Amino acid sequence: MTRLSLPIIEERNLLWSGALILVGAFFSLAFACAAPLAGFAAIAALTSARRNALALTAAIWFSNQLVGFTMLHYPLDFETLAWGGALGLIALICCETARFAARMSIGAGAPFAALAASFLVYEGALFAITRAVGGDVSHYALASVARIFAINAGAFFGLWALALVCAAIGAGRRVASLRV
């Protein structure tokens, strides 16, 4: 890597992170409790270095909570705050799980493996916590989980396509900067 390409990479990473956080906030407005945190954790794991991916996942979770409490008027009670904290922790675990699954997969299967692993951990953890606290698990019926997966997959693959476009633009800009 040449010195000329470093500012472009830093600029692209900052723009990419900002875009993911803004899109995450939009999804939080659109889907409230069904915001695709597993999909965002997987895309962060695939497009950023480990530390940045975890920080990005935390920032997306924070934007989700900020939208929830300020715009969607989530109640400020212990249960809501505890679930919010649990979602953040689970999202970070999903990011690590997605990174591991992508490393263990072969070739073009990495994005699919990352999303599947992240989603399974996310929904599995939420189900386990709900069951442990004696909550109603009827909303984990196949139709509900399939809907949540569709939202996560749509977000993930839309962001994956955007990441490919950004990478192509960044590669083109690096080549152009080397010619100057």
Side-chain angles (χ1 to χ4, degrees):
M1 188 176 318
T2 67
R3 215 157 191 13
L4 292 174
S5 65
L6 290 178
I8 295 167
I9 290 170
E10 289 171 10
E11 173 190 353
R12 194 183 99 228
N13 286 341
L14 182 59
L15 289 173
W16 175 247
S17 296
L20 284 182
I21 293 165
L22 286 175
V23 171
F26 170 76
F27 271 93
S28 296
L29 268 174
F31 295 106
C33 292
L37 293 177
F40 277 93
I43 202 71
L46 292 173
T47 60
S48 302
R50 181 176 185 257
R51 175 184 265 172
N52 292 343
L54 290 169
L56 185 53
T57 298
I60 293 165
W61 165 81
F62 182 75
S63 76
N64 168 264
Q65 296 299 296
L66 191 62
V67 166
F69 284 105
T70 62
M71 299 175 85
L72 300 177
H73 309 292
Y74 289 176
L76 285 172
D77 59 21
F78 176 76
E79 184 178 358
T80 306
L81 293 172
W83 271 110
L87 291 175
L89 181 60
I90 294 166
L92 292 172
I93 294 167
C94 288
C95 183
E96 286 293 289
T97 302
R99 177 176 301 289
F100 178 77
R103 271 197 318 255
M104 295 296 116
S105 65
I106 299 170
F112 301 100
L115 174 62
S118 182
F119 184 77
L120 288 171
V121 165
Y122 192 79
E123 284 298 309
L126 292 178
F127 179 83
I129 293 169
T130 302
R131 187 82 152 162
V133 299
D136 179 20
V137 295
S138 65
H139 57 275
Y140 289 97
L142 182 58
S144 296
V145 173
R147 177 182 165 272
I148 300 297
F149 179 75
I151 293 168
N152 275 272
F156 176 84
F157 287 111
L159 292 167
W160 184 255
L162 180 61
L164 293 175
V165 169
C166 289
I169 290 169
R173 289 179 65 192
R174 277 194 299 276
V175 170
S177 70
L178 292 174
R179 289 186 196 145
V180 174

